[in-house]
Amino acid sequence: NFVRLQDLSLSFNFPGTWRKMLKLTNARIFLSGKNLLTFTKWPGADPESGANQNGIPLRKMYTIGFNVSF
């Protein structure tokens, strides 16, 4: 048995007052992560693969970005 936080995405749309001040039509910043946490008593690297302790753990990935329109 295990619980995994596999995908998480957060974004923020800048308020109209900030966009007007910067002369932008739209502005958004975002952050996402993949394979962030796994809660388990399994001794190996990945409980889904069924590999023993010599297995390779899942790669964590982070993405940050900024979308703007003029």
Side-chain angles (χ1 to χ4, degrees):
N1 295 336
F2 67 95
V3 175
R4 176 173 288 152
L5 177 58
Q6 190 164 1
D7 294 303
L8 179 67
S9 297
L10 302 170
S11 67
F12 175 74
N13 290 318
F14 288 90
T17 54
W18 293 10
R19 292 190 320 252
K20 287 179 185 177
M21 185 174 55
L22 297 170
K23 298 180 182 173
L24 299 173
T25 306
N26 190 22
R28 179 175 69 101
I29 190 167
F30 62 90
L31 172 68
S32 67
K34 189 166 186 73
N35 300 321
L36 300 176
L37 296 169
T38 302
F39 300 99
T40 184
K41 293 182 182 179
W42 177 259
D46 181 18
E48 232 173 349
S49 71
N52 61 12
Q53 293 178 352
N54 297 328
I56 299 170
L58 290 173
R59 182 181 307 159
K60 293 181 182 181
M61 295 183 2
Y62 303 96
T63 305
I64 188 167
F66 192 65
N67 292 343
V68 293
S69 301
F70 297 95

